[in-house]
Amino acid sequence: MEDCIFCKIIKKEIPSTIIYEDDKVIAFNDVNPAAPIHILVVPKKHIETLLDVSDQDNELISYVYQIINKIAKEKGFANNGFRVIVNCGKDSGQEVMHIHFHVLGGKKLGDKIV
Ligand code: 5GP
Ligand code: ZN
């Protein structure tokens, strides 16, 4: 998608601190971190929101969770725990219309999600 920030990051047209990358997924540090660890895990396929995920994406979305698992273990924050958030649409405040998984950790997070 031409005007999509995350597609531009995927194409390396915008720089980012890449944590992990393969042919299906990229993970990079959030530019405006909300916690000491704030990684965005992004499927390379341009899917706008969670509502646009189809049956064809089942393997891909499952794969995203496998990659989050791998990153958490390899980066050493798996044991302390972390939170995964997907914003969807207006009320969630989703800003970037390319599905992404926020991985937050590195401190005791708030007990409530909202
Ligand atoms: P959303 O609110 O859409 O769920 O989250 C979008 C996230 O993308 C925000 O946390 C924001 O800080 C991050 N973000 C927006 N633009 C960029 C960028 O150009 N580079 C990086 N690394 N993160 C970005
Ligand atoms: Zn995109």
PDB file of all heavy atoms in Angstrom, residues 1 4-8 10 43-47 96-99, ligand 2:
ATOM      1  N   MET A   1       0.837  -1.216   0.000  1.00  0.00           N
ATOM      2  CA  MET A   1       0.000   0.000   0.000  1.00  0.00           C
ATOM      3  C   MET A   1       0.870   1.264   0.000  1.00  0.00           C
ATOM      4  O   MET A   1       1.728   1.402   0.861  1.00  0.00           O
ATOM      5  CB  MET A   1      -0.885   0.012   1.259  1.00  0.00           C
ATOM      6  CG  MET A   1      -2.115  -0.825   1.116  1.00  0.00           C
ATOM      7  SD  MET A   1      -3.335  -0.001   0.096  1.00  0.00           S
ATOM      8  CE  MET A   1      -4.390  -1.387  -0.280  1.00  0.00           C
ATOM      9  N   CYS A   4       0.997   3.748   3.204  1.00  0.00           N
ATOM     10  CA  CYS A   4       0.991   3.106   4.516  1.00  0.00           C
ATOM     11  C   CYS A   4       2.394   3.171   5.141  1.00  0.00           C
ATOM     12  O   CYS A   4       3.375   2.702   4.552  1.00  0.00           O
ATOM     13  CB  CYS A   4       0.541   1.654   4.359  1.00  0.00           C
ATOM     14  SG  CYS A   4       0.740   0.701   5.853  1.00  0.00           S
ATOM     15  N   ILE A   5       2.455   3.756   6.343  1.00  0.00           N
ATOM     16  CA  ILE A   5       3.748   3.903   7.038  1.00  0.00           C
ATOM     17  C   ILE A   5       4.417   2.546   7.248  1.00  0.00           C
ATOM     18  O   ILE A   5       5.632   2.408   7.060  1.00  0.00           O
ATOM     19  CB  ILE A   5       3.522   4.566   8.416  1.00  0.00           C
ATOM     20  CG1 ILE A   5       3.088   6.029   8.263  1.00  0.00           C
ATOM     21  CG2 ILE A   5       4.773   4.509   9.261  1.00  0.00           C
ATOM     22  CD1 ILE A   5       2.718   6.672   9.591  1.00  0.00           C
ATOM     23  N   PHE A   6       3.626   1.545   7.654  1.00  0.00           N
ATOM     24  CA  PHE A   6       4.248   0.258   7.957  1.00  0.00           C
ATOM     25  C   PHE A   6       4.695  -0.457   6.686  1.00  0.00           C
ATOM     26  O   PHE A   6       5.729  -1.135   6.690  1.00  0.00           O
ATOM     27  CB  PHE A   6       3.334  -0.606   8.818  1.00  0.00           C
ATOM     28  CG  PHE A   6       3.221  -0.113  10.250  1.00  0.00           C
ATOM     29  CD1 PHE A   6       2.341  -0.707  11.139  1.00  0.00           C
ATOM     30  CD2 PHE A   6       4.009   0.933  10.718  1.00  0.00           C
ATOM     31  CE1 PHE A   6       2.246  -0.261  12.456  1.00  0.00           C
ATOM     32  CE2 PHE A   6       3.922   1.391  12.028  1.00  0.00           C
ATOM     33  CZ  PHE A   6       3.031   0.794  12.901  1.00  0.00           C
ATOM     34  N   CYS A   7       3.955  -0.286   5.574  1.00  0.00           N
ATOM     35  CA  CYS A   7       4.455  -0.836   4.311  1.00  0.00           C
ATOM     36  C   CYS A   7       5.769  -0.153   3.925  1.00  0.00           C
ATOM     37  O   CYS A   7       6.677  -0.807   3.395  1.00  0.00           O
ATOM     38  CB  CYS A   7       3.409  -0.681   3.205  1.00  0.00           C
ATOM     39  SG  CYS A   7       2.074  -1.894   3.313  1.00  0.00           S
ATOM     40  N   LYS A   8       5.873   1.131   4.223  1.00  0.00           N
ATOM     41  CA  LYS A   8       7.134   1.845   3.919  1.00  0.00           C
ATOM     42  C   LYS A   8       8.273   1.332   4.795  1.00  0.00           C
ATOM     43  O   LYS A   8       9.413   1.209   4.343  1.00  0.00           O
ATOM     44  CB  LYS A   8       6.955   3.352   4.096  1.00  0.00           C
ATOM     45  CG  LYS A   8       6.136   3.974   2.972  1.00  0.00           C
ATOM     46  CD  LYS A   8       6.015   5.468   3.132  1.00  0.00           C
ATOM     47  CE  LYS A   8       5.228   6.045   1.956  1.00  0.00           C
ATOM     48  NZ  LYS A   8       4.752   7.405   2.195  1.00  0.00           N
ATOM     49  N   ILE A  10       8.417  -1.703   5.977  1.00  0.00           N
ATOM     50  CA  ILE A  10       8.699  -3.044   5.431  1.00  0.00           C
ATOM     51  C   ILE A  10       9.609  -2.930   4.204  1.00  0.00           C
ATOM     52  O   ILE A  10      10.537  -3.721   4.026  1.00  0.00           O
ATOM     53  CB  ILE A  10       7.366  -3.767   5.092  1.00  0.00           C
ATOM     54  CG1 ILE A  10       6.638  -4.136   6.382  1.00  0.00           C
ATOM     55  CG2 ILE A  10       7.594  -4.994   4.210  1.00  0.00           C
ATOM     56  CD1 ILE A  10       5.151  -4.438   6.217  1.00  0.00           C
ATOM     57  N   PRO A  43       2.588  -8.232  10.342  1.00  0.00           N
ATOM     58  CA  PRO A  43       2.614  -9.091   9.146  1.00  0.00           C
ATOM     59  C   PRO A  43       2.944  -8.239   7.916  1.00  0.00           C
ATOM     60  O   PRO A  43       2.466  -7.105   7.816  1.00  0.00           O
ATOM     61  CB  PRO A  43       1.183  -9.634   9.037  1.00  0.00           C
ATOM     62  CG  PRO A  43       0.463  -9.222  10.262  1.00  0.00           C
ATOM     63  CD  PRO A  43       1.235  -8.118  10.913  1.00  0.00           C
ATOM     64  N   LYS A  44       3.730  -8.769   7.015  1.00  0.00           N
ATOM     65  CA  LYS A  44       4.095  -7.979   5.827  1.00  0.00           C
ATOM     66  C   LYS A  44       2.900  -7.780   4.892  1.00  0.00           C
ATOM     67  O   LYS A  44       2.848  -6.803   4.151  1.00  0.00           O
ATOM     68  CB  LYS A  44       5.278  -8.619   5.100  1.00  0.00           C
ATOM     69  CG  LYS A  44       6.575  -8.460   5.895  1.00  0.00           C
ATOM     70  CD  LYS A  44       7.800  -8.882   5.114  1.00  0.00           C
ATOM     71  CE  LYS A  44       9.057  -8.487   5.883  1.00  0.00           C
ATOM     72  NZ  LYS A  44      10.290  -8.933   5.205  1.00  0.00           N
ATOM     73  N   LYS A  45       1.967  -8.704   4.946  1.00  0.00           N
ATOM     74  CA  LYS A  45       0.745  -8.536   4.149  1.00  0.00           C
ATOM     75  C   LYS A  45      -0.032  -7.328   4.673  1.00  0.00           C
ATOM     76  O   LYS A  45      -0.269  -7.221   5.885  1.00  0.00           O
ATOM     77  CB  LYS A  45      -0.105  -9.812   4.258  1.00  0.00           C
ATOM     78  CG  LYS A  45      -1.416  -9.739   3.492  1.00  0.00           C
ATOM     79  CD  LYS A  45      -2.197 -11.039   3.609  1.00  0.00           C
ATOM     80  CE  LYS A  45      -3.535 -10.937   2.895  1.00  0.00           C
ATOM     81  NZ  LYS A  45      -4.355 -12.136   3.097  1.00  0.00           N
ATOM     82  N   HIS A  46      -0.436  -6.435   3.778  1.00  0.00           N
ATOM     83  CA  HIS A  46      -1.188  -5.246   4.203  1.00  0.00           C
ATOM     84  C   HIS A  46      -2.640  -5.617   4.476  1.00  0.00           C
ATOM     85  O   HIS A  46      -3.461  -5.649   3.564  1.00  0.00           O
ATOM     86  CB  HIS A  46      -1.105  -4.135   3.151  1.00  0.00           C
ATOM     87  CG  HIS A  46      -1.850  -2.897   3.569  1.00  0.00           C
ATOM     88  ND1 HIS A  46      -1.251  -1.864   4.256  1.00  0.00           N
ATOM     89  CD2 HIS A  46      -3.141  -2.550   3.427  1.00  0.00           C
ATOM     90  CE1 HIS A  46      -2.148  -0.933   4.501  1.00  0.00           C
ATOM     91  NE2 HIS A  46      -3.322  -1.321   4.006  1.00  0.00           N
ATOM     92  N   ILE A  47      -2.907  -5.896   5.765  1.00  0.00           N
ATOM     93  CA  ILE A  47      -4.275  -6.127   6.248  1.00  0.00           C
ATOM     94  C   ILE A  47      -4.592  -4.903   7.097  1.00  0.00           C
ATOM     95  O   ILE A  47      -3.828  -4.576   8.012  1.00  0.00           O
ATOM     96  CB  ILE A  47      -4.340  -7.400   7.119  1.00  0.00           C
ATOM     97  CG1 ILE A  47      -3.908  -8.638   6.328  1.00  0.00           C
ATOM     98  CG2 ILE A  47      -5.738  -7.584   7.700  1.00  0.00           C
ATOM     99  CD1 ILE A  47      -3.700  -9.889   7.180  1.00  0.00           C
ATOM    100  N   VAL A  96      -2.442   3.578  12.749  1.00  0.00           N
ATOM    101  CA  VAL A  96      -1.838   3.035  11.530  1.00  0.00           C
ATOM    102  C   VAL A  96      -2.723   1.898  11.033  1.00  0.00           C
ATOM    103  O   VAL A  96      -2.920   0.897  11.728  1.00  0.00           O
ATOM    104  CB  VAL A  96      -0.398   2.540  11.792  1.00  0.00           C
ATOM    105  CG1 VAL A  96       0.198   1.963  10.515  1.00  0.00           C
ATOM    106  CG2 VAL A  96       0.471   3.680  12.334  1.00  0.00           C
ATOM    107  N   MET A  97      -3.240   2.073   9.824  1.00  0.00           N
ATOM    108  CA  MET A  97      -4.230   1.124   9.297  1.00  0.00           C
ATOM    109  C   MET A  97      -3.533  -0.019   8.559  1.00  0.00           C
ATOM    110  O   MET A  97      -3.772  -0.290   7.375  1.00  0.00           O
ATOM    111  CB  MET A  97      -5.228   1.855   8.397  1.00  0.00           C
ATOM    112  CG  MET A  97      -5.989   2.956   9.127  1.00  0.00           C
ATOM    113  SD  MET A  97      -6.766   2.413  10.667  1.00  0.00           S
ATOM    114  CE  MET A  97      -8.260   1.734  10.002  1.00  0.00           C
ATOM    115  N   HIS A  98      -2.663  -0.672   9.273  1.00  0.00           N
ATOM    116  CA  HIS A  98      -1.985  -1.899   8.826  1.00  0.00           C
ATOM    117  C   HIS A  98      -1.850  -2.716  10.112  1.00  0.00           C
ATOM    118  O   HIS A  98      -1.160  -2.266  11.049  1.00  0.00           O
ATOM    119  CB  HIS A  98      -0.624  -1.546   8.203  1.00  0.00           C
ATOM    120  CG  HIS A  98       0.172  -2.718   7.708  1.00  0.00           C
ATOM    121  ND1 HIS A  98       0.869  -2.700   6.514  1.00  0.00           N
ATOM    122  CD2 HIS A  98       0.414  -3.931   8.259  1.00  0.00           C
ATOM    123  CE1 HIS A  98       1.487  -3.860   6.343  1.00  0.00           C
ATOM    124  NE2 HIS A  98       1.232  -4.620   7.403  1.00  0.00           N
ATOM    125  N   ILE A  99      -2.508  -3.847  10.156  1.00  0.00           N
ATOM    126  CA  ILE A  99      -2.616  -4.589  11.420  1.00  0.00           C
ATOM    127  C   ILE A  99      -1.238  -4.786  12.065  1.00  0.00           C
ATOM    128  O   ILE A  99      -0.254  -5.077  11.380  1.00  0.00           O
ATOM    129  CB  ILE A  99      -3.350  -5.941  11.218  1.00  0.00           C
ATOM    130  CG1 ILE A  99      -3.785  -6.541  12.551  1.00  0.00           C
ATOM    131  CG2 ILE A  99      -2.513  -6.915  10.408  1.00  0.00           C
ATOM    132  CD1 ILE A  99      -4.747  -7.717  12.415  1.00  0.00           C
TER     133      ILE A  99
HETATM  134 ZN    ZN B   2       0.577  -1.402   4.986  1.00  0.00          ZN
END
